[in-house]
Amino acid sequence: MRKEEDFILELEGITKIFPGIKALDDVRMDLRRGEIHALIGENGAGKSTFIKVLTGIHQPDAGSIRLNGQKIDMADPLVARRHGIAAIHQHLAVYPDLSVAENIFMGNEQTAGGFPAIHWKKTRDKAAELLHALGSDIDPNSEMGELSVAQQQIVEIAQALSQNAQVLIMDEPTAALSLRESEELYNIVRGLKEKGTSIILISHRFEDIFNLADRVTVLRDGRYIGTWDITETDSDTLVKHMVGRSIDQFYPKKTAVIGEPLLSVEGLSRTGFFEDVSFTLHAGEILGLTGLVGAGRTEVVEVLSGVTRADKGSVAIRGQKQDIHSPHEALKQGVSLLPEDRQKQGLLLPWSIRDNITLPRLDLHDKHGLLSQASEKKTAEEYIRMLSIKAQSGEDRAESLSGGNQQKVVISKLLTCGSRIIIMDEPTKGVDVGSKAAIYQIMCDLAAEGFGILMVSSDMPEVLNLCDRALVMREGRISAVFTQKEMSPEALLKAAMPLEKARKGEAVHA
C-alpha cells in the first residue's frame, strides 16, 4: 500500500514545451527514501529535459514537484541545491587545474572564524573525510586533471555529499569506465543507498540497471510508459517498452557475400601493447575484435589507422603492402576509423553537421579555388537522409545531437572519404537501444555493398549476432578465431580470460 511518507520525491503531470516540440507530456515519477530508481528511454525520450526540470534548469509548463511531501517551486539550480538535489552529469564538470579539495567545495568554500578567506586546512580535512566515507584514498591535494574519469566521478559524488544531497542524480555513470571501475562505482552507489541517499540512475547499460536499481521507469517520446520493480521485468521487456518493438528485431539479417581480401595483417607488433597479430578482412565481412579491457584491441586499430606506428609486421591492402604512417595516409589507402570517443576524437562539436561531414574531403567541394557551401549542403543532406540523422537541418551543431545521431555523423564522415575498409571501435558505446539498431542496420548495409568492417566491441550480443568471424585478444595476442557457427558466450569468454585466471577457473566478464 502506498504511503506518502515513504517517498522523498514525487513529480506529477510534468509537461515542458519548447518552440515546435512537446519535450515532456504529462510525465510522472516518484522516488522512495534510500532507493535506486532507474530512468531509461531512447535518446530523445525526454530524460535530459526531465532531469533539467528537476534540477531547476528548466521550469515546467505544467505539473508539480513535491519533496518530503511539500510542494516546491524549482525556480533555478540554486533552489534545487538548497533542497538537497544534486546531479552528476555524463560529461563531468570539473576544474582540471584545481585540486580535488577545491573541486569538492567549489561554490561552497570553507571558512572559519567569520573571516571571508578560505580556510585551507579545514577544506582539505573535510575533503579527506568525504572521500574516506566513499572508500577512496584519493589525495585531496591532487590536481583534478591528473585523475582518471572514475576518480573524477568519485570526487563529484563527494561534492554532492558536501552539499548534504538527499537526492543524487547519476547520468550514464559507467559510460566511460572499464569493467573494474564500474564494479567499484557499483559498490560506492550501494553504500550511498545503505546510508539513506535516494538515487535516480540514468543509463543505457542494462548491466547498471539490473545490478543497482530497485525500480525502473521508462519514457518514450516524452511520455510516461510505466514503472516496474526490477525483479518483475527483464531486458527484453524493457527494450520493447522503450522502442515499441522486441529485441529480436535489433539485429538485421546479414546477407552479404564474402569477397576478396581487403586488409591483410601479418605479425604486427607494438612493444608494450600487442604482439604478433595476424588476420585478414574480406569484402562483405564484419570481423569482430573482442576481448577484455586492456587486451590491446584499440592499440591494434590505432596502428592500422595510422594514429600510432608498429615496431614489426606488415599491412597489405588489396594485396599490396603499405606503410601507414599517419591517419591521412590511412585515408589515402582506403582505411577509415570510427574512434571509441566520438566527442573528443570524431567530431568538432561546435561545428555544424554539414561542416563535420564534409571536413575530410573538402576538395570535393572546391569550385574554382573556393569552398562551395551549396555543394557541402547537398552532400550533408544526402547523408542526413541516408542515415536518418535526426536534426532540423545540416546547420545544427553536432553538440546539439543525441549520442546515437552524433555517431551517425561520424559514420557519414567515414563514408565521404570513399574508404572500403571501415574500422569501428565500440560503435554503439553510449547510445540508446534504438540508435544501436540503426547503426547495426548501417553496418549490414555497408557489408552488403562490399565494404569490409573491422569492429572492436565489448558488447557480447553484438559480436555474436553481427560478426561473420570474431578474433579474441588476450594479453596483447590473438588467442582464438571463431566463425559465426563456432561462436558462443562461453567460448568467447574462455578465449579472453587471462591465462592465470583460466587455470584457476575464475569467472571473468568481457
Side-chain angles (χ1 to χ4, degrees):
M1 182 177 177
R2 178 187 173 95
K3 295 181 181 179
E4 283 194 9
E5 58 268 26
D6 292 338
F7 296 89
I8 187 171
L9 185 67
E10 298 168 279
L11 296 94
E12 286 286 343
I14 300 296
T15 298
K16 181 62 184 177
I17 302 172
F18 295 106
I21 185 171
K22 184 177 281 189
L24 296 174
D25 185 4
D26 194 27
V27 171
R28 64 184 183 272
M29 181 183 184
D30 51 46
L31 181 66
R32 292 171 179 150
R33 301 180 192 281
E35 176 189 39
I36 301 175
H37 192 140
L39 178 64
I40 65 174
E42 291 188 88
N43 288 333
K47 304 185 302 295
S48 295
T49 303
F50 186 73
I51 294 307
K52 287 177 180 177
V53 167
L54 179 54
T55 54
I57 296 172
H58 294 324
Q59 282 65 56
D61 296 297
S64 64
I65 301 174
R66 291 182 178 274
L67 186 69
N68 293 313
Q70 300 296 313
K71 188 173 180 179
I72 57 174
D73 178 15
M74 209 70 77
D76 58 52
L78 288 178
V79 172
R81 180 171 171 175
R82 285 198 298 270
H83 282 290
I85 298 174
I88 298 172
H89 299 283
Q90 179 179 356
H91 304 293
L92 302 177
V94 301
Y95 298 90
D97 297 325
L98 299 182
S99 71
V100 167
E102 288 172 303
N103 271 270
I104 289 175
F105 290 105
M106 180 63 65
N108 184 29
E109 287 75 12
Q110 301 300 293
T111 59
F115 294 100
I118 296 173
H119 193 292
W120 289 110
K121 185 177 186 305
K122 182 179 178 182
T123 298
R124 288 189 291 269
D125 289 348
K126 283 199 167 186
E129 287 177 16
L130 289 165
L131 292 166
H132 180 73
L134 294 171
S136 172
D137 59 359
I138 297 172
D139 183 351
N141 296 309
S142 298
E143 193 171 289
M144 193 71 170
E146 295 176 350
L147 304 184
S148 67
V149 173
Q151 290 174 317
Q152 289 181 2
Q153 282 191 325
I154 292 171
V155 173
E156 287 231 330
I157 294 172
Q159 182 187 48
L161 297 181
S162 75
Q163 301 166 13
N164 299 313
Q166 304 177 68
V167 176
L168 183 61
I169 302 162
M170 305 187 77
D171 187 3
E172 298 290 350
T174 64
L177 304 188
S178 68
L179 175 67
R180 181 175 299 174
E181 290 170 335
S182 295
E183 292 288 353
E184 291 172 355
L185 183 65
Y186 290 166
N187 290 332
I188 289 172
V189 173
R190 292 185 188 111
L192 292 173
K193 173 188 171 180
E194 289 174 4
K195 293 175 182 177
T197 304
S198 300
I199 297 167
I200 296 175
L201 173 68
I202 300 170
S203 180
H204 290 312
R205 297 183 61 191
F206 286 122
E207 299 97 319
D208 296 347
I209 295 163
F210 286 99
N211 269 297
L212 292 174
D214 301 295
R215 290 189 298 157
V216 56
T217 289
V218 175
L219 301 183
R220 185 172 75 225
D221 298 329
R223 295 174 178 269
Y224 172 84
I225 300 301
T227 298
W228 296 267
D229 286 342
I230 204 68
T231 56
E232 297 174 353
T233 189
D234 55 38
S235 58
D236 289 10
T237 302
L238 292 178
V239 166
K240 189 171 183 178
H241 288 308
M242 289 165 66
V243 301
R245 59 183 184 274
S246 61
I247 198 167
D248 59 9
Q249 296 174 284
F250 265 30
Y251 301 101
K253 186 175 181 181
K254 187 171 175 292
T255 57
V257 176
I258 306 302
E260 63 172 335
L262 293 180
L263 175 68
S264 301
V265 177
E266 189 68 37
L268 206 64
S269 301
R270 185 178 173 217
T271 304
F273 296 96
F274 60 87
E275 186 175 358
D276 196 26
V277 170
S278 301
F279 63 87
T280 300
L281 172 68
H282 297 82
E285 182 178 33
I286 299 178
L287 177 62
L289 183 59
T290 189
L292 305 182
V293 173
R297 304 166 303 170
T298 293
E299 289 77 10
V300 168
V301 299
E302 285 178 344
V303 167
L304 296 177
S305 57
V307 176
T308 58
R309 301 200 67 177
D311 302 317
K312 291 190 298 183
S314 63
V315 176
I317 297 174
R318 295 183 186 273
Q320 299 295 316
K321 286 189 176 181
Q322 304 293 341
D323 180 19
I324 299 176
H325 51 77
S326 69
H328 179 68
E329 181 65 27
L331 287 175
K332 284 176 60 179
Q333 300 302 331
V335 180
S336 292
L337 170 67
L338 185 147
E340 182 177 5
D341 191 332
R342 60 180 169 270
Q343 294 202 334
K344 290 183 179 179
Q345 300 169 310
L347 294 168
L348 291 167
L349 291 172
W351 287 26
S352 70
I353 298 170
R354 168 177 59 84
D355 288 336
N356 271 282
I357 289 175
T358 59
L359 179 62
R361 291 297 308 271
L362 292 178
D363 58 300
L364 298 177
H365 311 286
D366 180 354
K367 302 295 182 183
H368 309 295
L370 297 174
L371 190 61
S372 170
Q373 289 194 355
S375 175
E376 283 189 294
K377 181 179 179 181
K378 181 180 178 182
T379 296
E381 287 176 348
E382 287 175 359
Y383 282 103
I384 289 171
R385 183 174 60 256
M386 185 191 310
L387 273 63
S388 300
I389 298 171
K390 292 182 181 178
Q392 291 183 338
S393 78
E395 301 310 306
D396 289 359
R397 290 186 175 190
E399 62 191 355
S400 71
L401 302 179
S402 68
N405 285 297
Q406 287 181 351
Q407 196 74 313
K408 291 180 184 179
V409 173
V410 182
I411 294 171
S412 299
K413 286 178 60 178
L414 306 187
L415 298 181
T416 63
C417 297
S419 301
R420 302 299 290 182
I421 299 167
I422 306 291
I423 301 172
M424 296 184 166
D425 193 354
E426 301 288 1
T428 61
K429 180 178 179 179
V431 306
D432 64 89
V433 289
S435 295
K436 280 188 177 185
I439 291 170
Y440 296 155
Q441 185 64 61
I442 291 167
M443 292 171 66
C444 289
D445 290 345
L446 291 174
E449 292 176 22
F451 287 74
I453 298 174
L454 177 62
M455 179 183 72
V456 177
S457 178
S458 301
D459 189 316
M460 184 77 71
E462 70 185 19
V463 173
L464 292 169
N465 287 282
L466 288 179
C467 296
D468 300 286
R469 291 185 298 140
L471 313 173
V472 182
M473 289 196 70
R474 175 173 63 207
E475 299 174 339
R477 290 175 173 268
I478 291 179
S479 60
V481 181
F482 296 99
T483 64
Q484 217 289 323
K485 290 183 179 180
E486 295 168 337
M487 281 185 241
S488 70
E490 295 78 15
L492 293 176
L493 285 173
K494 184 177 179 180
M497 190 180 298
L499 292 173
E500 185 62 28
K501 292 186 177 181
R503 283 193 288 271
K504 293 179 180 179
E506 296 179 16
V508 177
H509 301 284

